[in-house]
Amino acid sequence: MNNTIIEIKDLVVRYETDDGCVYAVNGVNLRLSKKKTMGLVGETGAGKTTTALSVMNLVPSPPGVIKSGQVLLDGIDMLKLSVSELEHARGTEVAMIFQDPMTALNPVMTVGEQIAESVMLHSNKSKAECLARAKEMLRQVGIPDSRASDYPHQFSGGMKQRVVIAIALACNPKLLIADEPTTALDVTIQAQVLDLMKQLRKEFNTSMLLITHDLGVVAEVCDDVAVMYAGHIVERGSADEVFNSTLHPYTEGLFNSLPNLRARGMELVPIDGMMPDPMILPKGCVFAPRCPYRMEDCTKEMPALCLHKGTHYVACSAYNDKDFKLRRNVDV
């Protein structure tokens, strides 16, 4: 535990709406070591962002309800903190980089004021000292400090994302949560932002939880990987274990649906069907209706996440059969 920065235990989150109950997160267990980066991977609607919001106790209520579980940040349960304690923790202990920098920034405040505001809320520094810190953070993310007096609309998409990163890191948090931080950017700017995040994470000794659906980004940035499907973690382990010794049929399907430059002309293999309606999850394994390897036991109960080897876990009842072996069609 001494080397663990964040541990999520049996987290259950529901969205209780007039149309019914959305089973967003269903008993998630995760652990991230200090100074490491974990990629949380899955399709849209898998529950990735809800899990991340739970870490900061920011699940919108109503309709969101954290039914049960623990979120231990450096040993402290974020779900049991008071409002004032949470306000202090958000920024100094954990910070978040949101997906769309334009909606994350205030259009009527200069970027320097917005970075300085974050510092001012979590320190006893004067306004001048906070503005000096803001200019220092702009330089850290590769923006001239002379632009501290500019407004968000005067920046490109990539530059705005750099400003958001500067705000998140201004108080040197222990954990950085990045919710698909490069989705709104083009490929070349995406690479620059990812390189910047890797560099700053090392400089600030910050751990990072990276939410994404892009396996290429995970391969580039992450030490560990957790694959999420319909509110469940179906596979997790080191990046090497998950990429080179894929276990779960869903993870295999994700890799098979990626184009491979070393196998030009090979047809992509899509995953049959669609993710289930989170209001009406299937009985048994949530992936069973789409699984090419499903057996009778798969429709009876959701398999628990069990250790396979090393730090590699999988939630698949087929691994009770010694003869069962997944077949990967691509090298990643």
Side-chain angles (χ1 to χ4, degrees):
M1 281 297 295
N2 290 337
N3 194 43
T4 300
I5 185 63
I6 183 74
E7 184 172 16
I8 300 174
K9 295 182 176 181
D10 302 317
L11 181 66
V12 176
V13 184
R14 304 281 185 259
Y15 290 102
E16 297 173 350
T17 71
D18 293 338
D19 296 325
C21 182
V22 177
Y23 298 88
V25 177
N26 306 299
V28 161
N29 290 277
L30 284 177
R31 179 180 292 180
L32 174 61
S33 299
K34 293 177 180 177
K35 301 181 183 179
K36 297 289 186 180
T37 296
M38 173 176 280
L40 187 56
V41 183
E43 296 174 69
T44 300
K48 306 184 300 297
T49 296
T50 298
T51 300
L53 290 174
S54 299
V55 173
M56 300 184 73
N57 204 345
L58 280 175
V59 174
S61 179
V65 180
I66 298 177
K67 287 289 188 179
S68 60
Q70 292 180 295
V71 178
L72 303 175
L73 179 61
D74 216 6
I76 299 171
D77 193 346
M78 294 289 288
L79 304 183
K80 293 183 178 179
L81 297 184
S82 65
V83 173
S84 60
E85 289 171 330
L86 280 171
E87 287 177 350
H88 173 74
R90 295 169 186 154
T92 56
E93 301 293 323
V94 56
M96 193 162 186
I97 300 171
F98 292 95
Q99 183 172 346
D100 185 357
M102 194 62 243
T103 56
L105 294 172
N106 188 331
V108 298
M109 289 177 66
T110 67
V111 297
E113 288 172 337
Q114 293 186 61
I115 301 171
E117 181 183 45
S118 177
V119 179
M120 203 175 299
L121 286 170
H122 296 98
S123 71
N124 296 319
K125 294 180 178 179
S126 66
K127 185 175 181 179
E129 289 174 317
C130 292
L131 283 171
R133 173 63 173 168
K135 290 181 178 181
E136 179 189 343
M137 288 307 304
L138 284 175
R139 290 193 296 270
Q140 287 270 16
V141 297
I143 298 175
D145 57 19
S146 59
R147 301 207 62 186
S149 57
D150 288 348
Y151 290 87
H153 73 270
Q154 295 174 280
F155 291 81
S156 66
M159 295 285 268
K160 281 196 279 278
Q161 193 62 286
R162 288 169 182 261
V163 173
V164 172
I165 293 171
I167 294 172
L169 291 173
C171 296
N172 200 9
K174 297 175 182 176
L175 175 66
L176 186 63
I177 300 173
D179 187 2
E180 304 205 27
T182 59
T183 297
L185 308 176
D186 64 52
V187 176
T188 54
I189 303 301
Q190 180 183 99
Q192 292 175 14
V193 171
L194 289 174
D195 286 341
L196 175 66
M197 289 172 64
K198 286 194 295 183
Q199 172 194 330
L200 292 176
R201 184 183 67 80
K202 292 178 181 177
E203 286 184 16
F204 285 80
N205 290 322
T206 302
S207 306
M208 184 164 68
L209 179 63
L210 176 65
I211 300 165
T212 184
H213 59 268
D214 190 330
L215 290 168
V217 170
V218 173
E220 179 72 18
V221 176
C222 299
D223 303 296
D224 301 307
V225 184
V227 181
M228 198 166 187
Y229 183 83
H232 294 267
I233 301 295
V234 295
E235 184 169 357
R236 81 165 194 252
S238 69
D240 178 66
E241 288 170 333
V242 173
F243 275 63
N244 296 315
S245 303
T246 303
L247 297 177
H248 199 276
Y250 176 61
T251 314
E252 182 194 50
L254 291 178
F255 283 123
N256 285 344
S257 62
L258 289 174
N260 190 338
L261 293 177
R262 288 173 289 181
R264 293 179 182 273
M266 179 182 288
E267 290 188 9
L268 302 183
V269 183
I271 304 173
D272 290 336
M274 296 181 67
M275 186 180 289
D277 184 337
M279 288 187 180
I280 316 170
L281 293 178
K283 292 181 180 179
C285 175
V286 289
F287 187 65
R290 305 174 71 184
C291 182
Y293 307 106
R294 63 181 173 272
M295 303 177 294
E296 186 179 345
D297 288 347
C298 298
T299 59
K300 295 179 180 177
E301 62 178 349
M302 181 66 196
L305 193 67
C306 297
L307 180 64
H308 176 71
K309 186 179 180 182
T311 61
H312 201 173
Y313 289 77
V314 63
C316 182
S317 58
Y319 283 92
N320 294 328
D321 182 352
K322 294 181 180 178
D323 296 327
F324 181 86
K325 203 169 190 179
L326 291 179
R327 296 176 296 279
R328 291 183 61 192
N329 297 322
V330 296
D331 294 322
V332 178

